[in-house]
Amino acid sequence: MINADTDAEAIACWLREYRGSPRTQQAYRREAERLLLWLADQGLGLAAMRREHLDTFEAFLGDPRPRARWVGPTRPRKDDRWRPFRGPLSPASRRQSLVILQGMFNWLAEAGWVRHNPFRLMRDKRRRLDNHQGRIERYLERQLWTWLWRWLNRPLEDGASGRQCFEYERRRFTFGFAYLLAPRIGEMSASRMADFTQREGRWWWQVTGKGGKTASIPVPPDMLSLLKAWRCRLGLSSEPAPDETGPLLRALDGTRGLGDNRLYRLVCETFHKAAEVLEQEQGEDARAYVSRLRRATPHWLRHTALTHQAQAGVELRYLAETARHSRLDTTARYLHAEDEEWHRQQSFHGLDRP
């Protein structure tokens, strides 16, 4: 039912169904490509995939080996050093991958490209492919974020070059933007100056996010201060004009925008540098925090922002609007107050002191 001669062409037909949602299409392409590369390594094609292959593939997602062949830092797809993984996938990411691939096989079966969907043979399918996730764990605790933000704001040494001053302000703005407005990485790189608008004396950030959904997010005073400082560094007026279409985050020339990959690397490099400094300054006392910084990715900043807003008492309905979640139970994963209270009350129960 489709015009395709190879597995790659068949998957391309499936991906075209998501052309209206570029972010979704990009995520689905990544998972399909990982599967195709793994099948090629096994000497198999999509039509040859059987039930027993699913367990092997799921284990591979959790530990892609040999590491040098499969794992590497983010690079352009055409770069010879590009690798399909940045590291082993977490249980939640493995589950998400299987959910996407199950849908792909359903479509390919309907299209007549494969005869069956091996996912239908999984007896524990509901448990394995249940995409419901528990509480958010990949975020920076308040104390760790406080240290990180103070470190980002440490004054530069005397005699810093113009490039160092530019990168300093860009890091501050990037992390402040991510923490205060909880954007996704793609939303940050796509943001334009004119996306910050003023209505009746209040500033709003206009964003087009996942699934092409648009939203207006209130801009708090600290975000407006960061925006003004960043624009000052760029040599612009303090506030953006309605017709100012230039990119928000910019390369060293001050005009070109930052792509997703470059922005991703910038944030990860900052996390790793922060981990080195924290380890040097506090040693073993900060071992847990150092480990978290080394594992952190840009999406941790979104989780951190939403978690800290919830802890600060932002109502669930407003938190959901900021996160742009279609379901409140998705947003509720950021509510840790009940866990804290449960833990506090559990401490009442103990053993007699000898």
Side-chain angles (χ1 to χ4, degrees), residues 92-145:
S93 295
R94 295 199 297 271
R95 182 168 56 245
Q96 179 69 9
S97 178
L98 294 180
V99 168
I100 292 170
L101 295 175
Q102 177 191 223
M104 182 187 76
F105 264 94
N106 276 338
W107 191 91
L108 292 174
E110 287 293 325
W113 185 257
V114 295
R115 289 187 300 169
H116 75 293
N117 182 349
F119 289 90
R120 292 186 176 276
L121 302 178
M122 297 174 73
R123 289 192 61 189
D124 57 350
K125 178 180 175 182
R126 176 172 295 182
R127 177 182 65 81
R128 297 280 286 280
L129 300 184
D130 181 6
N131 202 32
H132 176 74
Q133 300 178 23
R135 297 290 174 88
I136 291 295
E137 302 295 341
R138 294 179 296 169
Y139 70 98
L140 306 182
E141 294 90 334
R142 175 79 60 177
Q143 185 177 2
L144 179 54
W145 165 257

Side-chain angles (χ1 to χ4, degrees), residues 76-350:
R77 181 62 182 86
K78 295 181 180 180
D79 192 319
D80 291 339
R81 297 168 296 173
W82 174 88
R83 298 292 182 268
F85 294 90
R86 286 191 290 270
L89 298 190
S90 67
S93 295
R94 295 199 297 271
R95 182 168 56 245
Q96 179 69 9
S97 178
L98 294 180
V99 168
I100 292 170
L101 295 175
Q102 177 191 223
M104 182 187 76
F105 264 94
N106 276 338
W107 191 91
L108 292 174
E110 287 293 325
W113 185 257
V114 295
R115 289 187 300 169
H116 75 293
N117 182 349
F119 289 90
R120 292 186 176 276
L121 302 178
M122 297 174 73
R123 289 192 61 189
D124 57 350
K125 178 180 175 182
R126 176 172 295 182
R127 177 182 65 81
R128 297 280 286 280
L129 300 184
D130 181 6
N131 202 32
H132 176 74
Q133 300 178 23
R135 297 290 174 88
I136 291 295
E137 302 295 341
R138 294 179 296 169
Y139 70 98
L140 306 182
E141 294 90 334
R142 175 79 60 177
Q143 185 177 2
L144 179 54
W145 165 257
T146 299
W147 179 90
L148 177 63
W149 182 243
R150 289 175 178 171
W151 174 72
L152 288 167
N153 283 273
R154 291 181 184 179
L156 290 172
E157 296 180 358
D158 293 338
S161 66
R163 172 172 178 164
Q164 288 173 324
C165 292
F166 181 91
E167 291 178 332
Y168 171 83
E169 289 293 348
R170 187 172 63 181
R171 276 194 303 268
R172 283 184 70 248
F173 181 74
T174 299
F175 275 73
F177 178 24
Y179 181 74
L180 293 170
L181 297 183
R184 299 176 176 89
I185 190 77
E187 296 165 355
M188 295 178 71
S189 64
S191 191
R192 319 297 288 183
M193 287 292 182
D195 292 339
F196 287 86
T197 60
Q198 191 177 28
R199 299 197 305 270
E200 298 181 356
R202 299 185 182 91
W203 282 89
W204 301 82
W205 176 50
Q206 314 296 323
V207 56
T208 301
K210 203 172 181 179
K213 297 177 183 176
T214 59
S216 295
I217 310 298
V219 176
D222 285 348
M223 181 63 208
L224 191 57
S225 297
L226 283 174
L227 178 60
K228 290 179 178 180
W230 173 234
R231 288 177 59 81
C232 180
R233 171 55 57 183
L234 294 173
L236 303 172
S237 59
S238 62
E239 296 179 356
D243 59 349
E244 197 172 345
T245 59
L248 183 65
L249 291 169
R250 304 191 179 187
L252 291 174
D253 63 5
T255 56
R256 290 182 298 111
L258 285 183
D260 291 7
N261 288 341
R262 180 68 192 100
L263 182 57
Y264 190 99
R265 292 198 301 273
L266 186 153
V267 174
C268 288
E269 288 166 3
T270 303
F271 275 135
H272 291 160
K273 178 60 178 176
E276 292 176 5
V277 173
L278 183 58
E279 187 174 39
Q280 291 170 2
E281 293 181 349
Q282 300 186 22
E284 284 296 310
D285 293 341
R287 183 170 57 180
Y289 281 168
V290 169
S291 175
R292 289 187 74 77
L293 285 174
R294 284 177 174 155
R295 290 186 288 116
T297 66
H299 207 64
W300 282 46
L301 290 173
R302 175 173 162 84
H303 290 328
T304 300
L306 296 172
T307 298
H308 289 185
Q309 286 186 44
Q311 292 172 340
V314 176
E315 293 183 25
L316 184 60
R317 56 177 174 152
Y318 296 127
L319 194 64
E321 289 291 336
T322 298
R324 285 155 281 127
H325 290 153
S326 57
R327 295 173 52 179
L328 284 180
D329 59 351
T330 302
T331 312
R333 296 159 56 212
Y334 294 92
L335 303 179
H336 296 266
E338 291 183 0
D339 287 349
E340 295 172 6
E341 178 61 17
W342 184 11
H343 202 281
R344 187 185 71 83
Q345 294 197 22
Q346 189 76 357
S347 67
F348 299 157
H349 176 63

